[in-house]
Amino acid sequence: MQKTHTPIAFNPVTGAIRALAMDAVQQANSGHPGMPMGMAEIAEVVWRHNLRHNPANPAWANRDRFVVSNGHGSMLHYALLHLTGYDLPIDELKKFRQLGSLTPGHPEVHHTPGVETTTGPLGQGITNAVGFALAEKMLAANFNRPGHTIVDHHTYVFLGDGCLMEGISHEAASLAGTWGLGKLIAYYDDNGISIDGEVEGWFTDDTRKRFESYGWQVIGQIDGHDAAALAKATAEAKADTQRPTLIICRTTIGAGSPNKAGTADSHGAPLGAAEIALVREAIGWSHAPFEIPAEVYAAWDAKAAGAKAEAEWNERFAAYAAAFPELAAEFKRRLAGELPAGFKAAADALIEKVQAKAETIATRKASFNALEALGPVIPELLGGSADLAGSNLTIWSGSKELPPGSNADAAGVNYVNYGVREFAEVAIANGIALHGGYIPYTATFLVFSDYCRSAIRMAALMKIRQVMVFTHDSIGVGEDGPTHQPVEHTASLRLIPNLNVWRPADTTETAVAWIHGIENADGPTLLALTRQNLPFTARSAQQIADIRKGGYVLSDAADAKAVLIATGSEVGVALGAQKLLAEKGVAVRVVSMPCNRLFDAQDKAYRDAVLGKGLPRVAIEAGVSDGWYKYVGLDGAVIGLDRFGESAPGGTLFKHFGFTPERVTETVMSLL
């Protein structure tokens, strides 16, 4: 049943947003017109009167960040970018949701000028925004000096009922309150409608009390179509520097539509030609589709104000650079994403040390050692763990943890305690990486990658540099049993495009994986690490170099009759089988494949040289077997685990499930 709503004073400035949104969705015959039409007044107050940005330079370092967490309303964002002067011409809005356009169905970072993060999966945008605000706070603490403030910007985020229903918003908002992120301002589009209708049947939370309990300043409910009320609320939000702010804005979805406003009919489908004609009449918009009058463009144009704001900041930064040249150079380096000059030497020294020590240790411990070696030379390396730091081994000797509270000293902080919040951890780190100035790493048990999988996928989609440390990688977890033994996780994570999944076999491969992950600016790196000790294997310089190729010949044999392919803890099993087979007079090659994606990216000649031609192949991994058949073929064999584990000591389980040199030997002999 349609509800009554407060009358709205329509004007051409906000009318342009409504018209562009409904016309673009109609032309595409796809999209969500309701949210842009309902949030038009909120957008006008934020973008015309509060947001500091420069359309001519979307990457200006001290710009305010803006996130549309309810990303299905992407036409609101595109309309704002177009109207304020970004390089997003009207023809791109006409191609909304079409192949090759700059206006995809949901906002995509690195694709549309001015878009800060890719949103769509609800709740992740507000969580990325928490990461933006945290990065701003820490950079300010590290680089600002008395009389020289170079980091000072707000993060504005729009979110809706769906974002608040998703559990990740609880995780992220709780942390934002704990950290006192006073420059985070969120506008809640409280329209009471989702695709299935009026949300009061399934969403009865007291949002005010919920956010107050997190330590947020909460303003409203206010009329989300009242510009004066919105301006007042925004001023109150900016005045409170101790707490993040949620402004609850009661709005009418599809505002301006005589027959569909306030209903689910305006949420996720075109309004239709007849209704659009009525909207034009109702809001006083007589212009043709995609026609914006010059005076409306002039009212929205932010280019002059943006250029002025950036020029003023450039003057401040020049004065800062004169007073603190080393800090200024470091700031520019970090914002550019360049690694420090000492990184390569530290990386080379790490490899040399690992070779010299030849330790038999767990790869989670090898990961810790890599942090100890690389951390001191990478001040932008920002760690964290979802409560399991003692098991993940992610707090190294130089770690300085972020204290709670808005006034806590964040200078020198390089570690964040996320608590038991795996999903928010990765999504916040995505926001930190997108903000710039930090390379985040996160951590939990591999089995809990299920909790944060969507954020892992978004990191890969956005090609974010983040290192994800996942320990306790197999049945080697042992007595915790099948609930904590990730038999299917590594294989499924390897299916995500752009994600380098490493399962190193020893200290050397772990060190190379860390170095490669820090260097890789084109996507995230996931480390699947063991709880149990793994034996060290000596390598030549060429073999160490070939680790970066994802797969290589670890131990060859003259006149090999078969090839063993293994990863992680099972490489040791393969090497043991090689010895047993040699005793039987059967020579075999052992291939270590710590990162399938990198191996698959090599040219065919290299792959053929590693795997050999015409030889039977056996792959060994303590996890589901399906992904290995592309390497062994129909005539080969996979020794895997296509069932859940058991509760018993790890060593017992490896024997119980047949991950032994003896079983590998029997399998090879059966193929021969």
Side-chain angles (χ1 to χ4, degrees):
M1 183 177 70
Q2 187 168 344
K3 298 181 179 180
T4 59
H5 301 277
T6 304
I8 300 170
F10 296 111
N11 64 69
V13 175
T14 53
I17 294 176
R18 292 186 166 94
L20 288 172
M22 67 181 183
D23 289 340
V25 171
Q26 183 69 22
Q27 179 149 308
N29 196 29
S30 174
H32 298 73
M35 180 280 243
M37 297 174 73
M39 295 193 77
E41 283 76 23
I42 303 171
E44 191 269 337
V45 168
V46 172
W47 275 68
R48 288 189 65 222
H49 305 291
N50 288 281
L51 192 72
R52 287 187 306 171
H53 62 118
N54 184 5
N57 182 14
W60 167 38
N62 200 44
R63 68 193 181 279
D64 289 335
R65 270 56 170 186
F66 175 75
V67 176
V68 178
S69 188
N70 40 355
H72 54 270
S74 58
M75 263 312 302
L76 174 64
H77 205 169
Y78 301 147
L80 292 166
L81 293 168
H82 170 72
L83 291 168
T84 55
Y86 284 79
D87 187 13
L88 190 66
I90 195 69
D91 285 347
E92 293 295 335
L93 276 64
K94 293 178 181 178
K95 294 188 291 184
F96 178 54
R97 288 188 165 219
Q98 304 309 299
L99 182 64
S101 78
L102 294 178
T103 51
H106 292 82
E108 295 181 22
V109 70
H110 312 314
H111 183 77
T112 307
V115 171
E116 300 282 3
T117 181
T118 300
T119 58
L122 294 176
Q124 290 199 59
I126 175 62
T127 309
N128 295 161
V130 171
F132 285 134
L134 179 60
E136 191 276 343
K137 174 178 179 172
M138 292 189 297
L139 281 175
N142 281 298
F143 287 98
N144 290 347
R145 293 294 183 269
H148 296 274
T149 300
I150 61 165
V151 181
D152 179 19
H153 50 266
H154 286 83
T155 299
Y156 297 94
V157 56
F158 289 179
L159 69 157
D161 292 303
C163 294
L164 294 182
M165 283 187 262
E166 291 286 0
I168 190 174
S169 69
H170 166 86
E171 298 179 22
S174 173
L175 285 168
T178 296
W179 295 332
L181 301 180
K183 291 183 179 176
L184 174 63
I185 302 174
Y187 297 80
Y188 166 30
D189 180 28
D190 183 14
N191 62 40
I193 297 292
S194 66
I195 288 178
D196 282 350
E198 297 179 7
V199 300
E200 61 188 16
W202 50 85
F203 184 46
T204 59
D205 301 14
D206 189 326
T207 300
R208 165 176 279 278
K209 289 182 180 177
R210 173 181 164 187
F211 274 76
E212 286 177 341
S213 75
Y214 298 146
W216 287 53
Q217 174 185 212
V218 182
I219 300 172
Q221 216 184 62
I222 65 170
D223 183 351
H225 303 292
D226 183 338
L230 289 163
K232 181 175 181 292
T234 302
E236 290 179 20
K238 293 168 78 171
D240 189 338
T241 61
Q242 306 301 304
R243 299 175 293 173
T245 297
L246 179 74
I247 303 174
I248 303 175
C249 307
R250 185 61 178 171
T251 63
T252 300
I253 192 171
S257 174
N259 297 306
K260 297 186 177 183
T263 73
D265 291 339
S266 68
H267 186 287
L271 297 179
E275 186 67 15
I276 286 175
L278 294 176
V279 174
R280 281 185 149 74
E281 182 179 350
I283 69 174
W285 189 264
S286 59
H287 312 287
F290 302 104
E291 179 185 329
I292 306 295
E295 61 270 20
V296 174
Y297 274 126
W300 277 104
D301 191 355
K303 293 191 292 295
K308 182 175 182 290
E310 183 175 358
E312 291 173 350
W313 181 83
N314 287 338
E315 290 181 6
R316 293 200 304 273
F317 188 80
Y320 175 82
F324 308 100
E326 292 183 1
L327 278 175
E330 176 71 358
F331 181 80
K332 291 173 69 175
R333 179 192 69 77
R334 287 174 58 167
L335 267 291
E338 299 171 355
L339 292 175
F343 174 76
K344 186 181 185 306
D348 291 344
L350 169 61
I351 297 298
E352 290 178 9
K353 184 175 182 179
V354 164
Q355 296 303 295
K357 295 188 74 171
E359 292 181 296
T360 293
I361 56 176
T363 51
R364 62 170 175 168
K365 176 64 174 176
S367 169
F368 171 82
N369 291 344
L371 283 170
E372 286 285 350
L374 302 175
V377 300
I378 313 174
E380 64 267 39
L381 194 62
L382 178 66
S385 181
D387 194 57
L388 297 169
S391 294
N392 300 147
L393 302 183
T394 46
I395 298 180
W396 57 283
S397 60
S399 294
K400 180 180 178 181
E401 299 176 27
L402 177 70
S406 58
N407 293 321
D409 183 11
V413 163
N414 60 6
Y415 195 86
V416 178
N417 291 299
Y418 289 100
V420 188
R421 300 181 180 92
E422 296 88 357
F423 194 0
E425 173 189 32
V426 176
I428 288 172
N430 287 345
I432 291 169
L434 288 167
H435 180 281
Y438 289 98
I439 299 173
Y441 68 90
T442 53
T444 185
F445 288 174
L446 182 58
V447 74
F448 300 139
S449 63
D450 284 338
Y451 285 151
C452 49
R453 186 181 180 90
S454 183
I456 297 171
R457 181 178 183 273
M458 294 306 292
L461 178 63
M462 294 188 277
K463 298 183 178 180
I464 287 171
R465 177 157 51 182
Q466 180 187 161
V467 179
M468 305 169 189
V469 177
F470 287 98
T471 66
H472 298 61
D473 72 327
S474 72
I475 53 173
V477 171
E479 295 86 347
D480 279 345
T483 61
H484 282 54
Q485 292 166 3
V487 296
E488 77 277 25
H489 296 70
T490 303
S492 65
L493 289 162
R494 288 180 181 133
L495 298 175
I496 299 176
N498 302 332
L499 176 66
N500 289 332
V501 177
W502 288 81
R503 191 161 178 257
D506 65 358
T507 55
T508 305
E509 289 188 359
T510 304
V512 172
W514 257 110
I515 294 165
H516 188 275
I518 291 171
E519 291 175 340
N520 181 29
D522 296 323
T525 295
L526 189 152
L527 308 181
L529 306 173
T530 65
R531 176 194 185 192
Q532 73 274 21
N533 291 341
L534 301 185
F536 173 84
T537 301
R539 293 170 180 81
S540 68
Q542 184 60 54
Q543 286 176 313
I544 294 172
D546 286 344
I547 293 173
R548 287 173 168 268
K549 297 178 181 178
Y552 63 102
V553 179
L554 176 62
S555 180
D556 211 350
D559 195 24
K561 305 301 182 189
V563 178
L564 306 181
I565 310 167
T567 183
S569 51
E570 289 70 70
V571 170
V573 175
L575 290 170
Q578 184 186 45
K579 292 180 180 179
L580 291 181
L581 286 162
E583 293 171 2
K584 294 178 179 289
V586 178
V588 298
R589 169 184 292 182
V590 174
V591 170
S592 178
M593 195 175 291
C595 184
N596 302 56
R597 180 174 179 269
L598 290 176
F599 180 75
D600 293 346
Q602 305 305 311
D603 60 49
K604 186 175 185 300
Y606 177 80
R607 287 183 278 120
D608 287 346
V610 170
L611 297 179
K613 285 190 174 182
L615 297 177
R617 303 169 186 169
V618 178
I620 311 122
E621 183 171 52
V624 295
S625 60
D626 285 1
W628 289 102
Y629 284 99
K630 68 177 179 179
Y631 302 110
V632 303
L634 296 178
D635 297 329
V638 178
I639 298 175
L641 188 61
D642 294 309
R643 53 153 291 182
F644 293 115
E646 299 281 354
S647 181
T652 300
L653 291 176
F654 274 94
K655 292 178 183 178
H656 174 72
F657 288 116
F659 293 99
T660 63
E662 290 77 12
R663 185 188 176 195
V664 175
T665 298
E666 292 171 5
T667 303
V668 171
M669 296 303 293
S670 70
L671 292 178
L672 297 177

PDB file of all heavy atoms in Angstrom, residues 335-348:
ATOM      1  N   LEU A 335      52.025   7.734  -1.594  1.00  0.00           N
ATOM      2  CA  LEU A 335      50.791   7.960  -2.342  1.00  0.00           C
ATOM      3  C   LEU A 335      50.910   7.462  -3.778  1.00  0.00           C
ATOM      4  O   LEU A 335      49.909   7.089  -4.402  1.00  0.00           O
ATOM      5  CB  LEU A 335      50.412   9.437  -2.326  1.00  0.00           C
ATOM      6  CG  LEU A 335      49.443   9.889  -1.214  1.00  0.00           C
ATOM      7  CD1 LEU A 335      48.056   9.317  -1.452  1.00  0.00           C
ATOM      8  CD2 LEU A 335      49.924   9.482   0.176  1.00  0.00           C
ATOM      9  N   ALA A 336      52.119   7.446  -4.308  1.00  0.00           N
ATOM     10  CA  ALA A 336      52.330   6.945  -5.666  1.00  0.00           C
ATOM     11  C   ALA A 336      52.363   5.421  -5.723  1.00  0.00           C
ATOM     12  O   ALA A 336      52.356   4.838  -6.812  1.00  0.00           O
ATOM     13  CB  ALA A 336      53.625   7.516  -6.235  1.00  0.00           C
ATOM     14  N   GLY A 337      52.405   4.769  -4.549  1.00  0.00           N
ATOM     15  CA  GLY A 337      52.443   3.316  -4.515  1.00  0.00           C
ATOM     16  C   GLY A 337      53.793   2.716  -4.841  1.00  0.00           C
ATOM     17  O   GLY A 337      53.899   1.529  -5.154  1.00  0.00           O
ATOM     18  N   GLU A 338      54.847   3.538  -4.758  1.00  0.00           N
ATOM     19  CA  GLU A 338      56.193   3.050  -5.049  1.00  0.00           C
ATOM     20  C   GLU A 338      56.816   2.439  -3.793  1.00  0.00           C
ATOM     21  O   GLU A 338      56.656   2.968  -2.692  1.00  0.00           O
ATOM     22  CB  GLU A 338      57.064   4.204  -5.546  1.00  0.00           C
ATOM     23  CG  GLU A 338      56.556   4.864  -6.822  1.00  0.00           C
ATOM     24  CD  GLU A 338      57.315   6.134  -7.160  1.00  0.00           C
ATOM     25  OE1 GLU A 338      58.181   6.536  -6.339  1.00  0.00           O
ATOM     26  OE2 GLU A 338      57.026   6.725  -8.216  1.00  0.00           O
ATOM     27  N   LEU A 339      57.540   1.355  -3.967  1.00  0.00           N
ATOM     28  CA  LEU A 339      58.199   0.721  -2.834  1.00  0.00           C
ATOM     29  C   LEU A 339      59.461   1.494  -2.458  1.00  0.00           C
ATOM     30  O   LEU A 339      60.080   2.132  -3.302  1.00  0.00           O
ATOM     31  CB  LEU A 339      58.553  -0.723  -3.167  1.00  0.00           C
ATOM     32  CG  LEU A 339      57.355  -1.663  -3.338  1.00  0.00           C
ATOM     33  CD1 LEU A 339      57.818  -3.039  -3.795  1.00  0.00           C
ATOM     34  CD2 LEU A 339      56.556  -1.768  -2.043  1.00  0.00           C
ATOM     35  N   PRO A 340      59.858   1.449  -1.188  1.00  0.00           N
ATOM     36  CA  PRO A 340      61.040   2.196  -0.748  1.00  0.00           C
ATOM     37  C   PRO A 340      62.319   1.655  -1.380  1.00  0.00           C
ATOM     38  O   PRO A 340      62.402   0.489  -1.787  1.00  0.00           O
ATOM     39  CB  PRO A 340      61.036   1.997   0.772  1.00  0.00           C
ATOM     40  CG  PRO A 340      60.201   0.794   1.011  1.00  0.00           C
ATOM     41  CD  PRO A 340      59.184   0.755  -0.077  1.00  0.00           C
ATOM     42  N   ALA A 341      63.309   2.508  -1.420  1.00  0.00           N
ATOM     43  CA  ALA A 341      64.568   2.157  -2.070  1.00  0.00           C
ATOM     44  C   ALA A 341      65.231   0.939  -1.433  1.00  0.00           C
ATOM     45  O   ALA A 341      65.922   0.172  -2.092  1.00  0.00           O
ATOM     46  CB  ALA A 341      65.514   3.356  -2.036  1.00  0.00           C
ATOM     47  N   GLY A 342      65.037   0.747  -0.138  1.00  0.00           N
ATOM     48  CA  GLY A 342      65.695  -0.357   0.551  1.00  0.00           C
ATOM     49  C   GLY A 342      64.988  -1.690   0.432  1.00  0.00           C
ATOM     50  O   GLY A 342      65.459  -2.696   0.983  1.00  0.00           O
ATOM     51  N   PHE A 343      63.862  -1.736  -0.286  1.00  0.00           N
ATOM     52  CA  PHE A 343      63.088  -2.974  -0.315  1.00  0.00           C
ATOM     53  C   PHE A 343      63.840  -4.109  -0.999  1.00  0.00           C
ATOM     54  O   PHE A 343      63.904  -5.227  -0.483  1.00  0.00           O
ATOM     55  CB  PHE A 343      61.742  -2.749  -0.999  1.00  0.00           C
ATOM     56  CG  PHE A 343      60.958  -4.024  -1.196  1.00  0.00           C
ATOM     57  CD1 PHE A 343      60.313  -4.624  -0.129  1.00  0.00           C
ATOM     58  CD2 PHE A 343      60.900  -4.637  -2.440  1.00  0.00           C
ATOM     59  CE1 PHE A 343      59.614  -5.812  -0.301  1.00  0.00           C
ATOM     60  CE2 PHE A 343      60.204  -5.813  -2.621  1.00  0.00           C
ATOM     61  CZ  PHE A 343      59.554  -6.403  -1.550  1.00  0.00           C
ATOM     62  N   LYS A 344      64.414  -3.856  -2.174  1.00  0.00           N
ATOM     63  CA  LYS A 344      65.065  -4.933  -2.912  1.00  0.00           C
ATOM     64  C   LYS A 344      66.223  -5.537  -2.124  1.00  0.00           C
ATOM     65  O   LYS A 344      66.376  -6.767  -2.076  1.00  0.00           O
ATOM     66  CB  LYS A 344      65.573  -4.432  -4.264  1.00  0.00           C
ATOM     67  CG  LYS A 344      66.126  -5.548  -5.147  1.00  0.00           C
ATOM     68  CD  LYS A 344      66.632  -5.029  -6.467  1.00  0.00           C
ATOM     69  CE  LYS A 344      67.064  -6.196  -7.374  1.00  0.00           C
ATOM     70  NZ  LYS A 344      68.043  -7.085  -6.709  1.00  0.00           N
ATOM     71  N   ALA A 345      66.998  -4.679  -1.480  1.00  0.00           N
ATOM     72  CA  ALA A 345      68.118  -5.192  -0.685  1.00  0.00           C
ATOM     73  C   ALA A 345      67.608  -6.050   0.466  1.00  0.00           C
ATOM     74  O   ALA A 345      68.182  -7.108   0.771  1.00  0.00           O
ATOM     75  CB  ALA A 345      68.955  -4.036  -0.161  1.00  0.00           C
ATOM     76  N   ALA A 346      66.526  -5.612   1.113  1.00  0.00           N
ATOM     77  CA  ALA A 346      65.956  -6.385   2.212  1.00  0.00           C
ATOM     78  C   ALA A 346      65.407  -7.714   1.705  1.00  0.00           C
ATOM     79  O   ALA A 346      65.542  -8.754   2.370  1.00  0.00           O
ATOM     80  CB  ALA A 346      64.859  -5.580   2.904  1.00  0.00           C
ATOM     81  N   ALA A 347      64.780  -7.694   0.527  1.00  0.00           N
ATOM     82  CA  ALA A 347      64.238  -8.923  -0.047  1.00  0.00           C
ATOM     83  C   ALA A 347      65.362  -9.901  -0.386  1.00  0.00           C
ATOM     84  O   ALA A 347      65.275 -11.110  -0.092  1.00  0.00           O
ATOM     85  CB  ALA A 347      63.409  -8.595  -1.285  1.00  0.00           C
ATOM     86  N   ASP A 348      66.414  -9.399  -0.986  1.00  0.00           N
ATOM     87  CA  ASP A 348      67.547 -10.263  -1.327  1.00  0.00           C
ATOM     88  C   ASP A 348      68.189 -10.840  -0.064  1.00  0.00           C
ATOM     89  O   ASP A 348      68.557 -12.028  -0.022  1.00  0.00           O
ATOM     90  CB  ASP A 348      68.591  -9.474  -2.119  1.00  0.00           C
ATOM     91  CG  ASP A 348      68.112  -9.096  -3.512  1.00  0.00           C
ATOM     92  OD1 ASP A 348      67.117  -9.688  -3.984  1.00  0.00           O
ATOM     93  OD2 ASP A 348      68.722  -8.191  -4.113  1.00  0.00           O
TER      94      ASP A 348
END
